[in-house]
Amino acid sequence: MEIKKGQGRFIFFCLAPAVILFIVFLIIPTINVFRMSTYKWGGYTDDKTFVGLQNFEKLFHSDKFYQAFQNSLLLIILVTIITFAFALVFASVLSRENLKGQNLLRVIFYIPNILSVVVISAIFSAIYDPNSGLLNAILNLFRGAASDPTLWLGDQKIVIFSLAGAMIWQAIGYYMVMYMASMANIPESLYESADLEGAGRMHQFFTITIPLIWTNIRTTLTFFVISTINMSFLFVVAMTGGGPDGSTEVFLSYMYKEAYTNSSYGYGMAIGVIVFLFSFALAAILNAVTSREHLEY
């Protein structure tokens, strides 16, 4: 009994600082955001009026909010699928195939992850430049230099995909390295047995590699999807500012403009509440959908 009491005190003293920090820096600010979303308030003075749920009513009648929601959802789905598909394939190839310059390739793939979003945005803005950009220069080899240049950041129909390209390029290397670390723990004997039974590389990838690193994929998937909401804001601010004509506005850029540019702080906090609930629901859905039996080897 004394030992159990001692263990209990030890656990309490170890966890107490983390719990206090969690309450002070997450729980209390989150509750405060919910409270401020019920006020009509510019944010820079003490002059605020309680309006109940009017900010949310205004939000759900706003075309700009639905545009931001649509763009955020499109970026989450598109960037996640392509990033994880390429990261898994690259990790598998670099882990299992004896390629020349493997170590150099790993470094090259990882470099975008150590660059800031501002630097990556500057690189892709130069690549997307309609007159001197690399992308149009390559396309002109096939369609002729006299054709009209593609406005990668100026055409409302394609600009969101241009942003997705920059986000994918930035993220692939990091997740590739994480999956390579997981794949390194898979016993080679499993692949040797599969080879003897005539299973091809593709079959081995889906029946051995993916199931055995599924726990890692599941964890990183949830983390990546939620972080994409934040990353999309940074890329939008650095590359398009939400334009042209609001076509690249996402959740957080719309919230930032309303709260700090248009001085509608209460309305901005209402957007923040929706983003919080959306992120929470998305994480719960992903955990439920990707749940499966844990395999040991």
Side-chain angles (χ1 to χ4, degrees), residues 223-254:
F223 171 76
F224 181 77
V225 167
I226 302 305
S227 67
T228 300
I229 296 174
N230 182 47
M231 292 303 294
S232 62
F233 165 68
L234 299 176
F235 276 99
V236 165
V237 170
M239 293 182 69
T240 66
D245 196 25
S247 58
T248 56
E249 211 74 85
V250 292
F251 272 146
L252 298 185
S253 64
Y254 180 50

Side-chain angles (χ1 to χ4, degrees), residues 41-192:
W41 183 29
Y44 297 104
T45 67
D46 292 331
D47 184 18
K48 52 187 175 184
T49 307
F50 180 76
V51 294
L53 298 178
Q54 283 186 16
N55 284 326
F56 293 94
E57 186 180 353
K58 176 183 174 184
L59 186 66
F60 291 122
H61 288 85
S62 169
D63 291 337
K64 290 181 179 179
F65 171 73
Y66 286 111
Q67 175 74 60
F69 178 80
Q70 179 181 319
N71 289 337
S72 296
L73 201 58
L74 176 63
L75 284 175
I76 288 171
I77 295 172
L78 188 65
V79 173
T80 300
I81 291 175
I82 296 178
T83 298
F84 275 64
F86 276 101
L88 284 166
V89 170
F90 290 159
S92 180
V93 170
L94 290 177
S95 296
R96 300 206 56 212
E97 307 297 336
N98 293 320
L99 300 176
K100 288 185 177 178
Q102 271 188 339
N103 292 331
L104 178 61
L105 287 173
R106 294 178 188 183
V107 173
I108 291 174
F109 277 118
Y110 193 74
I111 284 177
N113 191 63
I114 63 176
L115 300 177
S116 74
V117 171
V118 175
V119 173
I120 294 173
S121 298
I123 293 172
F124 272 82
S125 294
I127 292 173
Y128 290 146
D129 189 285
N131 298 314
S132 59
L134 177 63
L135 203 51
N136 273 348
I138 294 173
L139 289 177
N140 287 343
L141 297 176
F142 302 97
R143 65 187 181 186
S147 58
D148 292 335
T150 303
L151 304 176
W152 297 102
L153 297 178
D155 188 335
Q156 294 185 24
K157 296 179 180 176
I158 62 173
V159 63
I160 197 72
F161 300 102
S162 302
L163 286 174
M167 294 173 65
I168 292 166
W169 186 78
Q170 188 264 347
I172 284 178
Y174 176 77
Y175 290 93
M176 182 197 78
V177 170
M178 292 193 71
Y179 296 142
M180 287 179 69
S182 296
M183 291 176 188
N185 294 322
I186 299 176
E188 190 60 31
S189 59
L190 294 178
Y191 293 113
E192 292 171 355

